Amino acid sequence: MSGAPLRVAVLGAGTVGREVVCALLERTAELRPSDGVALVLTGVAVRDVARAVERGLPAELLTDAPAHLVAGDEADVIVELMGGDEPAHTLIAAALSMGKSVVTANKHVIAHHGPDLEAIARRNGAALRFEAAVGGGIPVLGPLATDLAGNRIERVRGIVNGTTNYILSAMTDDEAPQDYATALAEAQRLGYAEADPSGDVEGHDAVNKIVILARLAFDRWLDPGTIPTRPASVSGSAGPGITTVSLADERDARAEGRIVRLLASASRDGATDVRASVLPTALPFDSPLGRTSGVRNRIEVDGTPVGRVAFDGPGAGGAATSSAVLGDLIAIARGGGSTWGPRPAATGPSVAPAEARQGSYLETASGVRYPIDD
Amino acid sequence: MSGAPLRVAVLGAGTVGREVVCALLERTAELRPSDGVALVLTGVAVRDVARAVERGLPAELLTDAPAHLVAGDEADVIVELMGGDEPAHTLIAAALSMGKSVVTANKHVIAHHGPDLEAIARRNGAALRFEAAVGGGIPVLGPLATDLAGNRIERVRGIVNGTTNYILSAMTDDEAPQDYATALAEAQRLGYAEADPSGDVEGHDAVNKIVILARLAFDRWLDPGTIPTRPASVSGSAGPGITTVSLADERDARAEGRIVRLLASASRDGATDVRASVLPTALPFDSPLGRTSGVRNRIEVDGTPVGRVAFDGPGAGGAATSSAVLGDLIAIARGGGSTWGPRPAATGPSVAPAEARQGSYLETASGVRYPIDD
């Protein structure tokens, strides 16, 4: 297939951005779909141009004005890899408003502004793709929306945050279990956790991901602020996410053949409702989710007629995540649409009733009631 | 999106065909992609019309002449679910020659006639989709060809045959291990193995699947007849596939922390070659592949930059497999192309040099040398 190449501007040259930029520069022929047009990099927005040049990025492509790349006429598709809320949100919305397609790894923006961005993309016939927002390089959003399109999805759940899973894995290591503070410090040393770890350990990152998964499974944008992240406890003192999971709690769980992991889950509830939660959960020790350790992710999808299918792999990292961004770019070069594919326009934002509050739980000696999930 | 509905004819109403026919009749609205046309069932070819009517299929759709459905002008897409070589192969080729798209679950036909069928499909601008041919309902071919299109795939391997994995799981059951003959008889009783089990236990089914996976990973159609299925042995008496795996062999493997499973594998070898094999393989007992038990399948893909991603789920069964067929139909209703998506036209058929012959192996007391794979 011939046609003018697709001109790509990348906003942000952090760990993922650098990988994407290098791939576009060095693997141009390989990345060209046989049934689509070529991809050509026409601009890269960075915070500090001089430093980017030092790091080997081509000076003629660089700018410190991402809004100019979005508004100018030298790019057909915008790859947003800056992260965070603003200016990423406004830049994505502006690009879609101009009819430019957008690829992003920004789970925060998609989860918090999904309803608006979907409406803008649909109104302007622009593709919005965000495979990299969940599970890093693991193909999961595309398969859920397209390959599994013949199913009624009943539930999607998984271990979707590598930082917390690394910490909990260190706390449940057979040989030398570390306590929470030590494991967190080690995760920070290895670059698996940020200096301010709250986005991961309090569950916000996993909340964003379950909102995105739920949109593709149930055609509903949930309001991330309504998804519970704090387990029930007798004293009411359990913290959000994994912040108060203790070695003693993990030992109590192990005595019951279970292991506590941060599980993000969303399931259909009757004809119209969706329940969702991000809670430290007592999983069977001897199960695929219970055995998912370290920074790997695993997402399980229950649907009819398919039954249960699962996707696992590296949930983070610049190289792995760049695979998802490149896959989205190739899809756009083939004329493919948005990540939601054949699914109907979503409603929302809507409140997500807590999942498993009515369900059974494992109460540890500390009085925390970890929901049980098999 | 509006447009004339896509008229679908289904050839074969066995376990998968019945599920597809019922879904098309009962879930018409649900299966219509929001960005494509509706699917409407216009014909079903069965062997025995009277029996199909008794089973509740609508008489006005039935025929015992599949060639008429293919040649007639009442179907835009042909769903081939008869299985076996002929007449399935000729019917698929005829449909593609007429420019009609084809969805099939027929791994034998795709693996053995892939080069021809791909050429016919490309020449006539017809889509050929076969997600159901590998891994039942697990989305793996689509993700490999499209979501992972930004990668250079290094290897694809997996447990892709539920029958042999059920038998080997029964032979390695902790509580009451069964010998090969007992486990095979039980698999036959449960419908997991056919009366003539040779296609599964000798590895032919897994060979077909690795040929299809290799085409999508490496753009090469391997000749299935050249893929080794017989492990080396001191006496030269090891049979093909799992036919001579014994309880003693499994015990010997366990003593080394391993478990013997039928592993299908294909990997890149230098710039142009692909090595492939379907061999009973000594896997780490405590690994995701080693723990894949019963009739479940698991396929692992190693690529750059993604690293290792994996897909698991039910590898067979009418309901699960119908999910893949329906997904392919929805893709065609959206104007999607063939399963190979953005990948270049494949070469072949080509000889597949044996994999792992040079590698390390675990030699059991019986003298069989099971290749080791971590």
Side-chain angles (χ1 to χ4, degrees):
Chain A
M1 189 169 136
S2 62
L6 192 73
R7 299 166 309 159
V8 179
V10 176
L11 315 185
T15 48
V16 181
R18 266 201 307 278
E19 296 280 347
V20 171
V21 165
C22 289
L24 289 172
L25 291 173
E26 291 163 15
R27 298 172 53 215
T28 315
E30 236 177 292
L31 295 176
R32 176 176 185 157
S34 69
D35 57 351
V37 300
L39 297 161
V40 56
L41 183 67
T42 55
V44 182
V46 296
R47 221 171 305 185
D48 184 335
V49 170
R51 233 183 56 185
V53 170
E54 272 169 38
R55 286 181 172 181
L57 295 186
E60 67 276 16
L61 293 178
L62 297 174
T63 172
D64 58 5
H68 290 185
L69 282 184
V70 170
D73 57 4
E74 283 170 26
D76 308 304
V77 54
I78 303 297
V79 179
E80 186 280 308
L81 299 170
M82 310 166 82
D85 193 65
E86 292 295 356
H89 165 225
T90 298
L91 292 167
I92 292 171
L96 294 172
S97 297
M98 298 172 70
K100 297 185 181 182
S101 293
V102 171
V103 174
T104 180
N106 195 321
K107 50 224 164 200
H108 171 88
V109 163
I110 297 296
H112 285 76
H113 306 286
D116 277 355
L117 294 176
E118 178 171 346
I120 298 172
R122 288 188 183 270
R123 198 160 52 231
N124 293 282
L128 173 58
R129 297 190 68 94
F130 43 90
E131 178 66 59
V134 179
I138 309 168
V140 58
L141 303 182
L144 177 57
T146 62
D147 300 276
L148 295 173
N151 291 272
R152 179 185 169 90
I153 306 299
E154 307 296 343
R155 176 161 75 154
V156 52
R157 62 174 185 161
I159 290 172
V160 295
N161 179 272
T163 306
T164 49
N165 208 56
Y166 175 86
I167 293 170
L168 294 175
S169 297
M171 292 172 66
T172 49
D173 185 82
D174 279 339
E175 321 266 290
Q178 297 175 334
D179 65 18
Y180 176 78
T182 308
L184 170 58
E186 179 74 359
Q188 287 172 317
R189 198 183 63 79
L190 293 169
Y192 296 152
E194 295 176 46
D196 172 4
S198 57
D200 291 312
V201 298
E202 294 181 7
H204 309 299
D205 174 81
V207 163
N208 290 339
K209 289 165 176 170
I210 200 67
V211 167
I212 295 169
L213 287 164
R215 187 271 166 258
L216 297 170
F218 308 117
D219 305 316
R220 185 80 61 84
W221 286 107
L222 301 178
D223 177 348
T226 65
I227 294 179
T229 58
R230 194 187 293 264
S233 64
V234 173
S235 64
S237 65
I242 67 162
T243 53
T244 54
V245 177
S246 66
L247 280 176
D249 287 349
E250 287 284 9
R251 276 194 301 266
D252 290 352
R254 189 68 150 270
E256 305 282 328
R258 295 189 173 269
I259 188 166
V260 175
R261 293 279 191 250
L262 189 67
L263 188 76
S265 177
S267 61
R268 196 183 286 281
D269 180 29
T272 57
D273 272 353
V274 174
R275 291 181 169 268
S277 64
V278 169
L279 291 170
T281 300
L283 297 164
F285 181 77
D286 189 30
S287 67
L289 281 170
R291 284 185 302 243
T292 299
S293 61
V295 294
R296 288 182 76 81
N297 283 189
R298 177 179 171 88
I299 296 110
E300 298 186 346
V301 177
D302 293 324
T304 306
V306 77
R308 176 170 298 170
V309 295
F311 307 87
D312 67 65
T321 305
S322 76
S323 163
V325 174
L326 295 171
D328 278 348
L329 277 172
I330 292 169
I332 291 173
R334 302 177 64 212
S338 298
T339 295
W340 48 76
R343 304 207 64 110
T347 58
S350 51
V351 170
E355 182 165 77
R357 289 281 171 177
Q358 263 53 264
S360 53
Y361 54 81
L362 182 150
E363 184 174 316
T364 58
S366 67
V368 181
R369 292 175 173 170
Y370 293 105
I372 281 179
D373 201 333
D374 300 316
Chain B
M1 189 169 134
S2 62
L6 192 73
R7 299 166 308 159
V8 179
V10 176
L11 315 185
T15 48
V16 182
R18 266 202 307 277
E19 296 281 346
V20 171
V21 165
C22 289
L24 289 172
L25 291 173
E26 292 163 16
R27 298 172 52 215
T28 315
E30 235 176 295
L31 295 177
R32 176 177 185 156
S34 69
D35 56 352
V37 300
L39 297 162
V40 56
L41 183 67
T42 55
V44 182
V46 296
R47 220 172 305 186
D48 184 335
V49 169
R51 234 183 55 185
V53 171
E54 271 170 40
R55 285 179 174 183
L57 295 186
E60 67 277 16
L61 292 179
L62 297 174
T63 172
D64 59 4
H68 290 185
L69 282 184
V70 170
D73 58 2
E74 283 171 23
D76 307 304
V77 54
I78 303 297
V79 180
E80 185 281 307
L81 299 170
M82 309 165 83
D85 192 65
E86 291 295 357
H89 165 225
T90 297
L91 292 167
I92 293 171
L96 294 172
S97 297
M98 298 172 70
K100 296 185 182 183
S101 293
V102 171
V103 174
T104 180
N106 195 322
K107 51 222 164 202
H108 170 88
V109 163
I110 297 296
H112 286 75
H113 306 287
D116 278 354
L117 294 176
E118 178 170 346
I120 297 172
R122 289 189 182 269
R123 196 159 53 232
N124 294 281
L128 173 58
R129 297 190 67 94
F130 44 90
E131 178 65 60
V134 178
I138 309 168
V140 58
L141 303 183
L144 177 57
T146 62
D147 300 277
L148 295 173
N151 291 271
R152 179 184 168 92
I153 306 299
E154 307 296 343
R155 176 161 76 154
V156 52
R157 63 175 185 162
I159 289 172
V160 294
N161 178 273
T163 306
T164 49
N165 208 56
Y166 174 86
I167 293 170
L168 294 175
S169 297
M171 291 170 66
T172 49
D173 186 82
D174 279 339
E175 321 265 291
Q178 296 176 333
D179 64 19
Y180 175 78
T182 308
L184 170 58
E186 180 73 1
Q188 287 171 319
R189 198 183 64 79
L190 293 168
Y192 296 152
E194 296 177 46
D196 172 3
S198 56
D200 291 312
V201 297
E202 293 182 7
H204 308 298
D205 175 81
V207 162
N208 290 339
K209 289 165 175 170
I210 200 66
V211 166
I212 295 169
L213 286 164
R215 187 271 165 261
L216 296 170
F218 308 117
D219 306 316
R220 184 80 60 85
W221 285 108
L222 302 178
D223 176 347
T226 66
I227 294 179
T229 57
R230 194 186 294 263
S233 64
V234 173
S235 63
S237 65
I242 67 162
T243 52
T244 54
V245 177
S246 66
L247 280 176
D249 287 349
E250 287 284 9
R251 275 192 302 265
D252 290 352
R254 189 67 151 272
E256 306 282 328
R258 295 189 174 268
I259 189 166
V260 175
R261 292 281 191 248
L262 189 67
L263 189 76
S265 178
S267 60
R268 195 183 286 280
D269 180 28
T272 56
D273 271 354
V274 174
R275 292 183 168 266
S277 64
V278 169
L279 291 171
T281 300
L283 297 164
F285 181 78
D286 189 30
S287 67
L289 281 170
R291 283 185 302 244
T292 299
S293 60
V295 295
R296 288 182 77 81
N297 283 189
R298 177 179 172 88
I299 296 112
E300 299 186 345
V301 177
D302 293 324
T304 307
V306 76
R308 176 171 298 170
V309 294
F311 307 86
D312 66 65
T321 304
S322 77
S323 163
V325 174
L326 295 171
D328 277 348
L329 277 171
I330 291 169
I332 291 174
R334 301 177 65 212
S338 298
T339 295
W340 48 75
R343 304 207 64 111
T347 58
S350 51
V351 170
E355 180 164 79
R357 288 281 170 178
Q358 263 51 266
S360 53
Y361 54 82
L362 182 150
E363 184 174 317
T364 58
S366 67
V368 181
R369 292 174 171 172
Y370 293 105
I372 280 179
D373 201 334
D374 299 316

